[in-house]
Amino acid sequence: LPTASLPQVGRALVAKLQERGLERCRDVRSYGKWQLREWFGAKGEMVWANAHGEDFATTTQPAQRKTMSAEINWGVRLQDRAGALQLLA
């Protein structure tokens, strides 16, 4: 697999990888993570992880919703809770 096919590897990084002779994932796999980190910083570690089939991206859980709101813009004016429940039903 060409390194250009890896996620988050753009033209500039591909050019830097090619300067070091790293054109395919098998080329990247022949070096250690520390070596790529030394050459390319955090991007090098990401390339190393992707070439080894690891997902480098961090995932976060979406924040739990604390409130919910709704707009009613149909000219309806609710008088009380019962009217709101009737509208939602």
Side-chain angles (χ1 to χ4, degrees):
L1 184 67
T3 55
S5 297
L6 295 173
Q8 298 183 6
V9 176
R11 291 178 298 192
L13 185 54
V14 167
K16 290 177 185 178
L17 290 165
Q18 287 175 345
E19 287 174 11
R20 300 266 185 190
L22 304 173
E23 296 190 17
R24 303 189 69 73
C25 286
R26 70 171 168 247
D27 303 327
V28 173
R29 291 173 62 97
S30 64
Y31 290 93
K33 185 190 306 189
W34 64 270
Q35 183 66 60
L36 272 86
R37 175 129 185 132
E38 185 178 308
W39 287 341
F40 308 109
K43 285 281 190 184
E45 192 172 340
M46 181 232 9
V47 169
W48 183 91
N50 286 332
H52 283 81
E54 297 175 13
D55 187 8
F56 192 77
T58 57
T59 57
T60 57
Q61 291 289 337
Q64 185 175 2
R65 183 175 289 202
K66 295 182 180 180
T67 62
M68 180 180 263
S69 65
E71 273 189 46
I72 299 176
N73 207 6
W74 307 310
V76 176
R77 300 290 176 250
L78 304 174
Q79 301 300 321
D80 55 12
R81 181 180 169 88
L85 293 174
Q86 182 180 3
L87 178 67
L88 294 174

